[in-house]
Amino acid sequence: MKKIKVGISACLLGQAVRFNGSHKNSVFCNEILSEWFEYVPICPEVEIGMGVPREPIRLVNENNQIRVKNVTDQSKDYTDQLHALADQRAPELHDLCGYIFMQKSPSCGVFRVKVYNQNGMPETNPAMGAFAYQLKQHYPLLPMEEAGRINDIRLRENFIIRVFANQDWREHVLAAPLAKNLVAFHTRYKFLLQAHSESHYRKLGQLVADAGVKPIDEILQQYFTLFTECLTQVAKINNHVNVLLHMMGFLKNQLPSEVKASLLNLIERYKEQKVHLIVPITMLKHYVDIHQIEYLMNQKYLSPYPYELGLRNSL
Ligand code: SF4
């Protein structure tokens, strides 16, 4: 399988590029995800020539503008250089399907990076690191996550799903932007979308219905924006339960009553959080394969990413 291109803060790959000459090696990124991801490592602060080691920097609110400044000498402002680097690197990053950033960094952080006022006191509202922020202006739909947050199993699974879906979209829709390819894509994602948000799924269906009527480029743009918004919502337990029951309905004529009862029992136990999601899914998938229910075999919900990642073993 061709590896998926994913951007990453270089320190997460064990590169000693932090301000104090250390790194923040992420075992999950470096030793597990690397099996499927081809990383594009970037250390924005090194790339703008700050060197290693370097003086620490932080986000400062200067007249309602978020700037990146040297902690001890506020006359040293790196914001424009970090933004310019993102602008300069953006074209060559067009084929990324995701980006894993280092948390809390004034350059790389995506969520809740601390901001200080000009007197050095912490402010209440956090912001994004300057490089991550500027890259997001170029690629607002690119799945972006922080290494710290993907220690949370639900956020981790959500990010991995979006990266694989992004790759699928590029390969099977963008590469041949035809209405029939959009229909096939939407069909494959039906249950996965429903697990994340039923209302988004319905709106996406309306867009697909317009695919033969409106210009396809317009539809694809709208579809993928809504699709990304949908998958970004973490799937809730009740939604998984509804999807599992719905899928089970496709097997109602094939399964003997005792098998149906066992499956229902597993779904119920998942609902009560007594077993992990992988348990009812494995049983359902087993019977889908045995009975060759093609519509379900193609559903991304059953295999949104390689099984070996084992993410549903803890959900
Ligand atoms: S967080 Fe970003 S800027 Fe800081 S060391 Fe890591 S890659 Fe470089």
Side-chain angles (χ1 to χ4, degrees):
M1 179 185 157
K2 193 169 168 255
K3 288 193 179 185
I4 301 176
K5 260 192 172 177
V6 171
I8 191 164
S9 295
C11 56
L12 292 170
L13 289 187
Q15 295 183 20
V17 288
R18 294 189 75 218
F19 72 100
N20 58 4
S22 68
H23 59 73
K24 278 283 182 183
N25 185 42
S26 157
V27 173
F28 180 64
C29 296
N30 221 350
E31 292 174 24
I32 298 174
L33 288 180
S34 55
E35 182 85 14
W36 295 278
F37 291 177
E38 176 193 338
Y39 288 123
V40 180
I42 297 176
C43 175
E45 292 171 23
V46 166
E47 291 205 14
I48 63 168
M50 291 178 71
V52 182
R54 55 187 173 273
E55 293 182 338
I57 54 178
R58 65 185 175 193
L59 296 183
V60 175
N61 182 348
E62 189 178 78
N63 306 321
N64 292 327
Q65 278 201 339
I66 303 297
R67 309 294 300 179
V68 183
K69 300 218 174 218
N70 184 301
V71 169
T72 50
D73 178 359
Q74 287 200 27
S75 68
K76 292 180 182 163
D77 185 319
Y78 301 97
T79 324
D80 295 342
Q81 284 166 276
L82 288 164
H83 285 173
L85 176 71
D87 294 340
Q88 181 202 322
R89 296 293 302 263
E92 70 195 77
L93 301 178
H94 69 96
D95 53 352
L96 293 186
C97 292
Y99 207 120
I100 305 173
F101 282 105
M102 177 63 199
Q103 67 274 12
K104 296 183 185 168
S105 156
S107 306
C108 290
V110 185
F111 305 98
R112 308 192 59 76
V113 181
K114 255 192 195 148
V115 177
Y116 295 81
N117 66 21
Q118 286 173 282
N119 299 321
M121 299 302 288
E123 297 224 312
T124 0
N125 292 336
M128 274 181 93
F131 177 77
Y133 170 84
Q134 192 63 11
L135 198 63
K136 197 171 174 61
Q137 308 312 304
H138 291 274
Y139 301 116
L141 302 181
L142 180 69
M144 289 182 170
E145 201 34 282
E146 290 179 342
R149 280 171 40 106
I150 55 177
N151 288 327
D152 177 303
I153 187 65
R154 290 185 195 280
L155 296 179
R156 174 183 292 192
E157 204 229 5
N158 184 277
F159 174 67
I160 303 289
I161 282 177
R162 287 184 288 134
V163 172
F164 278 90
N166 199 295
Q167 161 76 1
D168 195 6
W169 173 255
R170 284 163 186 273
E171 209 174 307
H172 295 108
V173 183
L174 285 191
L178 304 170
K180 66 172 187 178
N181 291 339
L182 176 64
V183 171
F185 182 87
H186 183 67
T187 306
R188 283 203 306 283
Y189 279 85
K190 171 189 163 93
F191 290 109
L192 188 63
L193 291 166
Q194 285 183 317
H196 286 256
S197 164
E198 178 69 37
S199 63
H200 280 80
Y201 170 70
R202 271 189 259 113
K203 286 184 205 154
L204 285 162
Q206 284 156 16
L207 280 175
V208 173
D210 285 342
V213 187
K214 291 188 182 164
I216 190 73
D217 288 353
E218 199 183 298
I219 294 284
L220 294 187
Q221 176 64 31
Q222 287 174 14
Y223 182 92
F224 198 60
T225 302
L226 202 55
F227 177 87
T228 303
E229 201 181 293
C230 178
L231 289 192
T232 303
Q233 302 198 15
V234 174
K236 295 191 175 73
I237 293 170
N238 277 347
N239 291 9
H240 278 302
V241 169
N242 289 341
V243 164
L244 288 166
L245 292 173
H246 192 165
M247 291 181 102
M248 203 185 141
F250 284 80
L251 286 156
K252 67 174 185 289
N253 297 329
Q254 279 83 359
L255 298 184
S257 53
E258 64 274 17
V259 172
K260 276 190 232 166
S262 306
L263 193 45
L264 277 174
N265 181 39
L266 287 183
I267 295 172
E268 190 56 35
R269 288 174 72 192
Y270 163 68
K271 190 177 177 183
E272 294 164 355
Q273 291 286 273
K274 302 246 170 67
V275 298
H276 293 305
L277 180 58
I278 193 67
V279 178
I281 284 188
T282 303
M283 188 171 176
L284 183 65
K285 194 167 178 326
H286 171 75
Y287 286 104
V288 165
D289 289 342
I290 283 184
H291 294 287
Q292 294 284 295
I293 313 287
E294 207 176 326
Y295 182 65
L296 296 188
M297 286 165 79
N298 291 331
Q299 283 300 319
K300 279 286 167 187
Y301 180 79
L302 293 177
S303 328
Y305 43 76
Y307 176 78
E308 295 83 346
L309 274 165
L311 302 177
R312 285 168 164 173
N313 299 357
S314 323
L315 280 179

